[in-house]
Amino acid sequence: MKSLLKTGVAAVAIFAANVAQADEEANLVINEEIEITVRTDAPAHAENLSTIYSGWVFRSDETQSLQMDDFENPGMIFVDDAIDTWNTVEGSEGNSCASCHGEPESMAGVRAVYPKWNDAAEEVRTIAMQVNDCRTEQMGAEEWKYDGGDMLNMEALLASFSRGLPVNVAIDGPVEAMWELGRDIYYTRYGQLDLSCANCHEDNYGNNIRADHLSQGQINGFPTYRLKNAKLNGVQSRFRGCVRDTRAETFSVGSEEFIALELYVASRGNGLSVEGPSVRN
Amino acid sequence: MAENVKPRVRVPRDATAGEAIVIKTLISHTMESGQRKDGDGNTIPRSIINRFTCEFNGELVIDVTLEPAISTNPYFEFQATVPETGTFDFTWYDDDGDVYTDSKDITVG
């Protein structure tokens, strides 16, 4: 059964007998062309992990196969929308994304290194912050809402052209303070349930938390199309959902704490491939 | 015209005579059911694609009636036997009178 799935024959998924079990040995090749690293040695700074896994390996056969073919991947519809936006002139400066960057193919590799330090602004920037900087400074256009629909579509487009390239987020130099803040947050227990990120995603990945199969919480696949809400989901909105589920008062999307956490969690996935827009449940 | 409607079709480039091939189609469309209400309690008017057809060299392959319960971005996957080289024509009919089309050639060798 699995060997057939590997060839990308999506219809086979209909006949898969066991819907709940993930095949953790499966390999991901998108469009029979883009090879995705879904498991690799953990980077040295993820000191409590030996192997890092993409969230894809924890999903069911059916969900996995949706991501093997762009035609089946519902997230690619949003990428198509973003390509139209890419070429649309907005704002007072008469620029579109294409005016400076040309074809979106030129953005290959960009997603893989964010969040990263911006020298001029002297801050750590997520890719969403950089997109908004482009919009306000280069285009004279309105900012997009953080993790809003327009922003997630554009993030999905940027991710899609970096698919297959290894995540390579810098953790030293000027970002070090933010990275350490992110690590502190990762290991801090929050909420009435008294849970840290690590309790689920480091100590218990592969186990079930009630009906949910816990992943390592890697974010190489974001923005993610979730079957539960049938839309793209941003990293920080996902963080907020997780912290909320510990019954804690959460940080805000776009806050310094979540930027730090995004930087830290992204760096734990150094070596996995960029996968966005991925498909998860 | 409804916004952001984009038909997508996947048909193999070639086939052997009489072979059953798999055709996949997807069209981005909101498929507003007409059952929902907006924030002020007013009914949001129905706006769906109500019919989808596929023809091969002028001969009807499939003709589908779509109803309001069908969700956003309707996806169809079906098989067709291909007797000869030719063209598949795909047509979607919108409630507002718009017609969206796409076509794909296939070579039988």
Side-chain angles (χ1 to χ4, degrees):
Chain A
M1 173 59 58
K2 202 60 209 180
S3 62
L4 285 171
L5 278 177
K6 278 176 190 161
T7 64
V9 183
V12 170
I14 297 163
F15 304 108
N18 198 337
V19 297
Q21 286 304 309
D23 184 346
E24 295 182 13
E25 304 303 313
N27 288 309
L28 174 55
V29 180
I30 296 173
N31 301 335
E32 298 177 17
E33 182 184 337
I34 309 170
E35 292 189 16
I36 302 288
T37 304
V38 292
R39 64 180 69 71
T40 190
D41 293 338
H45 55 264
E47 61 269 18
N48 300 322
L49 298 173
S50 53
T51 308
I52 50 176
Y53 301 94
S54 162
W56 182 83
V57 303
F58 296 94
R59 301 282 67 91
S60 68
D61 288 349
E62 292 85 346
T63 309
Q64 287 186 344
S65 75
L66 284 174
Q67 211 184 311
M68 291 172 162
D69 183 345
D70 281 353
F71 202 89
E72 310 270 330
N73 182 342
M76 295 308 288
I77 292 172
F78 301 94
V79 173
D80 275 356
D81 284 352
I83 288 175
D84 294 340
T85 311
W86 180 269
N87 294 310
T88 305
V89 172
E90 266 188 86
S92 57
E93 306 298 312
N95 286 335
S96 66
C97 304
S99 310
C100 296
H101 296 289
E103 295 298 312
E105 284 82 354
S106 70
M107 306 305 280
V110 172
R111 169 71 261 186
V113 297
Y114 273 89
K116 73 170 192 180
W117 183 256
N118 183 295
D119 272 334
E122 297 194 341
E123 63 180 6
V124 174
R125 278 196 181 159
T126 62
I127 203 160
M129 294 162 75
Q130 188 57 49
V131 168
N132 264 341
D133 185 80
C134 270
R135 286 183 60 80
T136 54
E137 302 304 313
Q138 310 298 333
M139 297 167 67
E142 296 248 327
E143 280 194 2
W144 278 329
K145 181 169 176 271
Y146 209 105
D147 279 2
D150 289 326
M151 180 62 83
L152 290 174
N153 290 358
M154 187 56 67
E155 286 187 51
L157 174 136
L158 294 170
S160 72
F161 286 104
S162 289
R163 284 185 300 179
L165 300 172
V167 175
N168 185 18
V169 173
I171 64 166
D172 51 4
V175 305
E176 198 172 344
M178 279 292 263
W179 185 81
E180 282 176 1
L181 172 63
R183 186 175 60 182
D184 286 348
I185 293 171
Y186 192 88
Y187 287 103
T188 303
R189 290 169 177 267
Y190 289 99
Q192 291 176 323
L193 297 184
D194 204 27
L195 290 170
S196 73
C197 306
N199 291 143
C200 289
H201 296 293
E202 191 169 275
D203 304 339
N204 280 299
Y205 66 85
N207 294 334
N208 275 45
I209 180 167
R210 304 193 81 177
D212 289 329
H213 194 202
L214 284 170
S215 74
Q216 282 187 343
Q218 298 288 354
I219 59 172
N220 57 309
F222 277 86
T224 288
Y225 181 90
R226 295 190 72 187
L227 300 167
K228 67 174 271 185
N229 59 12
K231 66 182 187 69
L232 288 177
N233 294 261
V235 182
Q236 296 196 10
S237 302
R238 191 70 194 82
F239 287 164
R240 193 181 55 188
C242 256
V243 179
R244 181 201 59 213
D245 290 350
T246 70
R247 302 187 190 165
E249 194 71 39
T250 79
F251 302 110
S252 311
V253 169
S255 66
E256 190 185 350
E257 288 86 352
F258 271 170
I259 294 165
L261 186 60
E262 182 175 343
L263 171 66
Y264 176 71
V265 178
S267 77
R268 288 169 68 93
N270 276 356
L272 294 172
S273 300
V274 176
E275 267 183 46
S278 62
V279 186
R280 303 285 189 262
N281 52 1
Chain B
M1 174 170 169
E3 282 180 6
N4 287 335
V5 177
K6 191 180 285 182
R8 301 165 177 82
V9 173
R10 180 169 290 176
V11 177
R13 275 198 198 84
D14 37 37
T16 54
E19 182 187 353
I21 57 153
V22 175
I23 296 172
K24 296 174 181 179
T25 76
L26 174 70
I27 187 161
S28 41
H29 194 282
T30 51
M31 297 292 281
E32 186 60 56
S33 69
Q35 302 286 335
R36 300 198 306 161
K37 297 199 165 57
D38 65 16
D40 300 325
N42 303 312
T43 302
I44 305 172
R46 172 181 135 158
S47 171
I48 67 167
I49 288 171
N50 54 47
R51 184 177 176 220
F52 165 67
T53 64
C54 170
E55 292 180 358
F56 181 69
N57 290 348
E59 187 187 348
L60 196 62
V61 177
I62 192 169
D63 188 344
V64 184
T65 303
L66 285 82
E67 302 290 353
I70 293 176
S71 61
T72 308
N73 306 333
Y75 171 89
F76 288 106
E77 179 176 330
F78 52 96
Q79 293 183 319
T81 48
V82 197
E84 65 208 17
T85 298
T87 306
F88 281 100
D89 290 301
F90 303 89
T91 316
W92 293 261
Y93 298 87
D94 197 311
D95 270 351
D96 62 14
D98 281 325
V99 173
Y100 317 105
T101 58
D102 200 352
S103 65
K104 290 282 178 203
D105 296 326
I106 185 165
T107 309
V108 172

